[in-house]
Amino acid sequence: MFENAGSLAGAIWTALNENGAQNAKDLKKAAKVKTDKELYLALGWLLREDKVTVAGDEKDPLFSLK
């Protein structure tokens, strides 16, 4: 799965770049990510790289590029 994490992170970054800030549900659909686990793995990667910000609340976070 680790090999796939970089590709997933790229898909998430591209979706955010093209569509702007999105919640997890919309981002998962826009990036064509299959599972929540993959979505949050990729988001964790991007957060660690300091490429995304998280706003909103715990129930409905809003992700955007820095």
Side-chain angles (χ1 to χ4, degrees), residues 39-56:
L39 174 68
Y40 288 111
L41 175 68
L43 284 168
W45 179 297
L46 292 170
L47 284 164
R48 180 73 172 110
E49 294 286 322
D50 201 32
K51 305 239 186 243
V52 297
T53 60
V54 183

Side-chain angles (χ1 to χ4, degrees), residues 9-29:
I12 298 290
W13 189 93
T14 299
L16 289 171
N17 189 48
E18 291 175 355
N19 304 314
Q22 297 179 58
N23 64 21
K25 180 181 174 186
D26 294 338
L27 185 54
K28 184 176 167 185
K29 184 176 180 181

